[in-house]
Amino acid sequence: MELLAVSLRAYYADFTEAAAAENLTASQGKTLSVLRQGPAAMRVLARTLSCDASNITGIIDRLEKRGLVHREPSPTDRRVKNVVLTPEGERAVDAIRANMHATMAGLDALDDAERATLHDLLSRTFEAAAVTA
Amino acid sequence: MELLAVSLRAYYADFTEAAAAENLTASQGKTLSVLRQGPAAMRVLARTLSCDASNITGIIDRLEKRGLVHREPSPTDRRVKNVVLTPEGERAVDAIRANMHATMAGLDALDDAERATLHDLLSRTFEAAAVTA
DNA sequence: TATTGTTATACTCTATAACTATA
DNA sequence: TATAGTTATAGAGTATAACAATA
C-alpha cells in the first residue's frame, strides 16, 4: 500500500513534468494520450476528459495551432468533427510515455510483471479521470 | 488492484464534488485540508501544495475574503505570515470529509478496517501531491 | 546576501449561457 | 426538438519576474 501511494504521487507529478518537457500542460498531455488510441469526436473527448465541451474547443485549438492534432469532418454526420493525432502528435505522446517508463523503471522494488501491472493501473486511473460509474 | 483503481477515480471526482458542494474548488479544499492539521506559513503551503508561492497569495486571499482562514504575523520572524483556519474554515473541511466518508461507506466490498486503510491512503495521496522524494 | 510574501503579467483550464448548423 | 461544435464571458489556477521588508 505504501509503495502504491508513493508510486501514485510520483506518477502524477512525473506525468505533469514529462508533459512539460514537451511544452505541454497535463490536460494537453492527457488529451493526446486519449487520442493515441484513435480519433475521437469533440463531444467524446469532453465526456472522456470529464469537462464541458466548450473547453475542448480551446484545448484542441491550441494543439492544432502547434500541429499536434487536426480536425476532420465526420463523413456520416456533418455536425461532428473528429480529432486526429498528427505524426508530431504521436511523437509527443511517445516522448511522454518514454519518460514515464523511465519513472517506472526507477521502482527497484518491483519486478517487470509488477511494473507493467502498476503502470497500467496508474495510467488508466490518470487518463480516465471520469467516473461514469 | 481493480478495486483500488475504481476507488481512486471515485475519490478524486468525489473530493472535487464534495468541495464544490461547499462552493470551493479542489485547490481550495485541499488547502483547507492541509490547514486542518494546524497553521502554516505561506511558504510552507506552497511547498506542501507543490506550487509557486505567488499562487498561494491568491488562494489565501480568496479564502480569507470568505472568512475561512486568516493571516497572522509570525511572532518569531516578521517576514512570515501564518495562515490559520477559522471556525467556519474548520466547518467547511469537516463538511467535505463527512461527504468523503459517505463515499467510502459506499464501497461495500470492504470491511471497516480496509475502508480506514484505503481512506488514509487515498487522502494522503491526494493531499500530499508533492513529491519530495 | 538570502528569504518571505506580494504584485504584475500572461496563459491555461474551467463552467455557463447563447449561438449556428446540422440532425 | 435535440445534438455537435463554437463563441463570449468570467473566475480560478499556474509560473515567471520584479519588488519591499526582513533576516
Side-chain angles (χ1 to χ4, degrees):
Chain A
M1 285 296 253
E2 186 58 32
L3 175 63
L4 190 58
V6 171
S7 306
L8 264 168
R9 268 178 256 163
Y11 190 92
Y12 277 70
D14 286 359
F15 184 90
T16 302
E17 202 179 316
E22 294 297 313
N23 255 298
L24 295 164
T25 66
S27 286
Q28 291 171 334
K30 223 161 136 179
T31 303
L32 293 180
S33 292
V34 169
L35 289 173
R36 194 69 172 86
Q37 297 169 242
M42 302 293 280
R43 194 60 57 162
V44 173
L45 283 177
R47 210 159 33 231
T48 304
L49 300 171
S50 57
C51 67
D52 193 83
S54 60
N55 301 330
I56 301 298
T57 299
I59 292 176
I60 297 301
D61 278 352
R62 287 181 279 272
L63 291 175
E64 193 168 34
K65 199 180 301 179
R66 290 172 52 179
L68 300 175
V69 304
H70 68 96
R71 291 164 162 99
E72 45 184 50
S74 161
T76 57
D77 186 333
R78 286 197 295 171
R79 294 173 302 177
V80 173
K81 290 175 189 171
N82 289 315
V83 184
V84 187
L85 223 48
T86 64
E88 296 98 297
E90 288 183 14
R91 191 207 52 73
V93 180
D94 293 346
I96 292 175
R97 295 216 170 146
N99 214 321
M100 296 308 291
H101 283 129
T103 297
M104 287 293 111
L107 298 171
D108 298 331
L110 302 176
D111 66 31
D112 283 349
E114 288 168 337
R115 215 174 340 257
T117 301
L118 183 58
H119 181 266
D120 180 56
L121 168 68
L122 294 171
S123 58
R124 272 188 300 128
T125 301
F126 186 66
E127 283 166 23
V131 186
T132 43
Chain B
M1 286 296 253
E2 186 58 32
L3 175 62
L4 190 59
V6 171
S7 306
L8 262 168
R9 268 179 256 164
Y11 190 91
Y12 276 70
D14 286 359
F15 184 90
T16 301
E17 202 178 316
E22 295 295 311
N23 255 298
L24 295 164
T25 66
S27 287
Q28 291 171 334
K30 224 161 136 177
T31 302
L32 294 180
S33 292
V34 169
L35 289 173
R36 194 69 172 87
Q37 297 170 242
M42 302 292 281
R43 195 59 57 164
V44 173
L45 283 176
R47 212 159 31 231
T48 305
L49 300 171
S50 57
C51 67
D52 192 84
S54 60
N55 301 330
I56 301 297
T57 298
I59 292 176
I60 296 302
D61 278 353
R62 288 182 278 272
L63 291 175
E64 194 169 32
K65 199 181 299 179
R66 290 172 53 178
L68 300 176
V69 303
H70 68 94
R71 291 164 161 99
E72 43 183 51
S74 162
T76 57
D77 186 333
R78 287 196 295 172
R79 293 173 302 179
V80 174
K81 290 176 189 169
N82 289 316
V83 184
V84 186
L85 224 48
T86 64
E88 296 97 297
E90 289 183 15
R91 191 206 53 72
V93 180
D94 293 345
I96 293 174
R97 294 214 171 148
N99 214 321
M100 294 310 289
H101 285 129
T103 297
M104 286 293 111
L107 298 171
D108 298 331
L110 302 176
D111 66 31
D112 284 348
E114 287 168 337
R115 218 180 329 265
T117 302
L118 183 57
H119 181 265
D120 179 57
L121 168 67
L122 294 171
S123 57
R124 272 187 303 127
T125 302
F126 186 65
E127 285 166 21
V131 186
T132 43

